[in-house]
Amino acid sequence: MAQAEEQLAERSQHNERVQWVLANFITEDTELLAAKASAELTAAQVAFASQAAQFNDLEGLDYDTERKLNLLRSSIVIPAPMDPEKTAEQSEIGARLNGLYGRGTYCREDGECLALGELEDIMATSRDAAELLEAWDGWHSISPPMKNLYARQVELANEGAAELGFDNLGTMWRSAYDMDPAEFPGLLDEMWEQVSPLYEALHCHVRARLGEVYGPDIVPQDGPIPAHLLGNMWAQGWENIEELVAPPKTDAAYDLTSILVDKGYDAISMVETGEAFFSSLGFEELPKTFWKRSLFTKPADRDVVCHASAWDIDEKDDLRIKMCIDVNAEDFKVIHHELGHNYYQRAYKDQSFLYRGSANDGFHEAVGDTLSLSITPEYLAQLGLITEVPDASGDLGLLMTQALEKIAFLPFGLLVDQWRWKVFAGEAGPEQYNDLWWQLREQYQGVSAPNERPADAFDAGAKYHVPGNTPYTRYFLAHILQFQFHRSLCEIAGNDGPIHRCTIYGNQEAGERLNAMLEMGKSRPWPEALEALTGSPEMDATAVLDYFAPLKAWLDEQNTGRQCGW
Ligand code: ASP
Ligand code: SER
Ligand code: ZN
């Protein structure tokens, strides 16, 4: 085990560096180099995993050895078969899929080509249905060339998973939650059932308002909402259409984007503000190298992966983020999200290699978001960004802003892996990929394809995490967990008002309790980590429901007499 940890640590650090170069400089050369590095790492991971799989009687082993054997066997995201040619093929496909996404552009008939960031701006700001459809459809034209590559990758990864004793890659992914993998989907269903009435109420109100804006021909009032009208390329967060759906403005309303712009914020000062939040909780400052080595803005002269990410190159102090920051509220929150990863990574750096990770993957995604929930008017006033803190009459507006971001996201956070799990299980082949995608989007989100999809469409591929092979259930979990974390931290901080007005900024006690959980890394099952912070070992959505209770009551009133559902 000691040898395995040492060798894997060395190889994964090398791989991180190579992947960093690729993501910051996408060329044919870096793609090849990255494919080679990841093939070497995968081969080593698979070799150790298959050795671990040979121990089928773990009884009598000490706790850590047993836990680490299980981790070794199950924690490869995309395993490859042991055949070296197949390992190489697998890694090349991975690099090509990433490249197709990272370089994706849509060229208009007049010859002007738009990158994802520009298309997302149109999705966020345009209120012209035809223009929105063009941007939506344009971005979804980048993914058909991915379809066959993706199908082959699934085949290879399933073969790899089978060699390690899993029926398919989906089972392997579901084995990473300290519980019987067959019971994990049931846990997700339970949480989804808790929150879906709130989602449906939000959907109903938003659909009614969009019907008034675009007309009932474009937004039929008894069916799903067309996916191009919700302000976001994937309809996964609806905060950009707030002005169309929000409760009537009260003097509470403020627009964080305009505040950041008016106060002269730039990418660096936005990140510094995020760092200062962590410092106020008692966390040590980010290292100097963070500021030198991170990528904060989109370079003018080369292709980079703009999708935000956080890195931990040497698993000690070489922390970085990579982001194409724009000065707006969304990126301000994403900065906190990415920094949450970096502070988690630093908190568990003294754990042994296999324990350097979060309690479960949802925890990693939840930390920075938890701090973002503390970006309240009270906090902004402390920073001097607003002068007057709105009274309780502003609450509905504040809650609506949060719901459009966090509640709208929930079904999307679930369905991406519902799709992948079925694909990995062989329930849908390449010919059914797209139909299954839209069936799930309609079922969970109540969102529909805005036009007839072409036969070669591969719309799942137009979402970063599919070609990028990043599991997605983690984001659903994080959207539940962050409210649990926030509620507990607010209690620890002695907050006695409503939790949507609570900020833990400056509270060292809350910081200590958070750090106690982060430091544990992956060394204990996640329920213990959760208990260390919240006092309860259960993930559940009651904190979400508490937080949004006043908005739910308002939505129900608005929806009286409307026919909800789809
Ligand atoms: N902010 C991005 C997202 O969550 C990347 C990340 O997870 O850090 O997909
Ligand atoms: N960062 C994730 C995404 O972009 C979840 O919010 O989908
Ligand atoms: Zn993340």
Side-chain angles (χ1 to χ4, degrees), residues 111-123:
E112 196 198 349
C113 294
L114 303 176
L116 177 58
E118 290 150 336
L119 295 166
E120 285 190 87
D121 285 345
I122 298 174
M123 298 305 294

Side-chain angles (χ1 to χ4, degrees), residues 40-147:
E40 281 166 13
L41 175 61
T42 305
Q45 285 174 321
V46 168
F48 284 120
S50 84
Q51 283 184 46
Q54 287 163 27
F55 293 89
N56 45 23
D57 180 10
L58 302 182
E59 214 156 299
L61 283 178
D62 64 275
Y63 176 85
D64 289 311
T65 310
E66 177 177 345
R67 182 164 179 78
K68 286 178 178 182
L69 281 170
N70 285 324
L71 288 171
L72 261 187
R73 178 168 163 261
S74 64
S75 41
I76 310 175
V77 176
I78 292 287
M82 265 176 282
D83 174 347
E85 264 176 45
K86 289 183 174 170
T87 306
E89 183 186 357
Q90 169 83 301
S91 295
E92 274 159 33
I93 294 176
R96 282 175 66 195
L97 286 172
N98 265 309
L100 282 168
Y101 190 95
R103 276 194 294 252
T105 45
Y106 160 62
C107 298
R108 286 188 173 142
E109 280 181 13
D110 64 9
E112 196 198 349
C113 294
L114 303 176
L116 177 58
E118 290 150 336
L119 295 166
E120 285 190 87
D121 285 345
I122 298 174
M123 298 305 294
T125 55
S126 171
R127 304 294 177 239
D128 171 343
E131 190 184 16
L132 287 166
L133 182 57
E134 191 195 356
W136 186 93
D137 202 45
W139 179 247
H140 287 76
S141 72
I142 66 134
S143 47
M146 297 176 188
K147 196 196 292 203

Side-chain angles (χ1 to χ4, degrees), residues 234 236 307-308 334 337-338 365 369 409 412 463-465 472 475 479:
W234 307 274
Q236 71 181 65
H307 191 96
V334 175
H337 175 94
E338 301 308 337
E365 300 305 334
D369 284 14
F409 179 79
F412 188 75
K463 175 66 194 165
Y464 171 78
H465 303 68
Y472 211 80
Y475 299 109
H479 277 67

Side-chain angles (χ1 to χ4, degrees), residues 227-306:
H228 61 314
L229 304 177
L230 289 152
N232 173 280
M233 188 60 82
W234 307 274
Q236 71 181 65
W238 304 348
E239 60 274 24
N240 292 321
I241 56 160
E242 179 173 5
E243 93 237 14
L244 304 181
V245 302
K249 291 265 187 245
T250 61
D251 30 333
Y254 63 86
D255 172 6
L256 185 51
T257 296
S258 340
I259 294 170
L260 292 168
V261 172
D262 294 347
K263 298 274 176 180
Y265 272 75
D266 61 13
I268 301 291
S269 53
M270 284 164 73
V271 180
E272 283 168 348
T273 308
E275 181 193 32
F277 200 124
F278 282 89
S279 298
S280 86
L281 299 179
F283 289 88
E284 201 188 314
E285 303 192 321
L286 291 165
K288 293 223 164 45
T289 50
F290 170 89
W291 299 100
K292 276 175 74 174
R293 297 176 188 170
S294 290
L295 178 83
F296 298 113
T297 49
K298 184 175 169 147
D301 57 350
R302 62 182 202 266
D303 285 321
V304 302
V305 179
C306 270

